[in-house]
Amino acid sequence: MKFLVTIFCASLLFKTIESNCNNDNNGQDLTVIVSFQSLHELSIWFFKNQLAPVYEELSKCVKWHFIPCSTTEIVDQVKNCDKDDLQECQLDAMHACAAHIYEDSEYQLGHFFICMMTSEEQFCKGEQCANSAGLDWQKIKKCNPSQQAAKFCVNRYNQLNALHVIHVPGVFFNWKYDVKLDEHIFKNFKEHVCIRLQEMGKSCAACPSSPPSGQNGR
């Protein structure tokens, strides 16, 4: 009898712990999706002024997903890279290849993109940025722009198209685009990531203990 009671109590304790854990994170991580273009002025501004300064500390609390091909124009350019030989086209193709090859290493991929987007001469920094992020530059370099990269670019663009995105750069939480948040996110990216984490019941050392007074992210 005591043995059965012990098993029952242990089972109840396990379920209680499991329930408490699920309540703490709602069973879901926060994924932050960032769409951008290589030489796009606002994309560069966002990486330099909003993403780069907080990337490392927020990476302890969120997952990342990057979408470098953000418009049909960019997709079409990448398809014709060999013909047009445009620098923007080559850069977006490079980004599309990196995003595909390292889709399971989004944290390192983010470091690569930040390095590229914050460099004065992106086109000359590919190898340096790849090495700095711990990525194999040769794998990225061997990716054929008009064939492989074009396919990867289309795949990434389709992810955005499914979200009905209005403009680039874009920031989305857990694959949901909220037009009401759009303008506010770009004014203070970190604050809105923290607000979203708090709404999900998650704590993060990079965030204040409660949202700023009078702010609720909406």
Side-chain angles (χ1 to χ4, degrees), residues 52-62 64 190 204-207:
V54 301
Y55 184 76
E56 193 63 39
E57 57 178 341
L58 286 180
S59 291
K60 298 174 183 178
C61 307
V62 307
W64 303 96
K190 178 183 175 180
C204 180
C207 302

Side-chain angles (χ1 to χ4, degrees), residues 1-2 25 30 56 58 65 71 107-108 113 115 119-120 124 144 153 178 188 194 204:
M1 183 66 178
K2 289 183 178 180
N25 60 24
L30 177 61
E56 193 63 39
L58 286 180
H65 185 78
T71 67
Y107 169 70
Q108 290 87 345
F113 288 140
C115 178
S119 298
E120 292 300 323
C124 302
N144 184 288
C153 207
D178 189 341
N188 195 326
C194 287
C204 180

Side-chain angles (χ1 to χ4, degrees), residues 79-139:
K79 288 179 180 178
N80 295 291
C81 265
D82 291 339
K83 297 178 182 178
D84 299 335
D85 195 27
L86 299 174
Q87 188 176 89
E88 182 179 36
C89 164
Q90 296 286 347
L91 282 169
D92 283 306
M94 181 194 303
H95 290 175
C97 289
H100 175 81
I101 295 169
Y102 291 103
E103 61 184 348
D104 293 327
S105 304
E106 293 280 355
Y107 169 70
Q108 290 87 345
L109 189 62
H111 277 293
F112 173 71
F113 288 140
I114 289 172
C115 178
M116 291 291 292
M117 295 294 288
T118 58
S119 298
E120 292 300 323
E121 296 183 4
Q122 288 190 50
F123 199 71
C124 302
K125 298 291 184 178
E127 183 172 7
Q128 178 182 324
C129 289
N131 292 337
S132 177
L135 307 182
D136 187 340
W137 168 243
Q138 292 305 316
K139 288 184 178 180

Side-chain angles (χ1 to χ4, degrees), residues 8-56:
F8 174 77
C9 291
S11 176
L12 182 62
L13 177 61
F14 176 77
K15 289 183 177 179
T16 301
I17 293 173
E18 184 181 45
S19 176
N20 287 339
C21 289
N22 288 337
N23 287 337
D24 180 61
N25 60 24
N26 293 325
Q28 185 181 39
D29 292 316
L30 177 61
T31 298
V32 181
I33 297 95
V34 179
S35 65
F36 64 100
Q37 295 174 19
S38 61
L39 297 181
H40 186 263
E41 185 175 342
L42 287 178
S43 294
I44 293 171
W45 180 92
F46 174 74
F47 270 78
K48 284 184 176 180
N49 297 284
Q50 295 288 326
L51 184 60
V54 301
Y55 184 76
E56 193 63 39

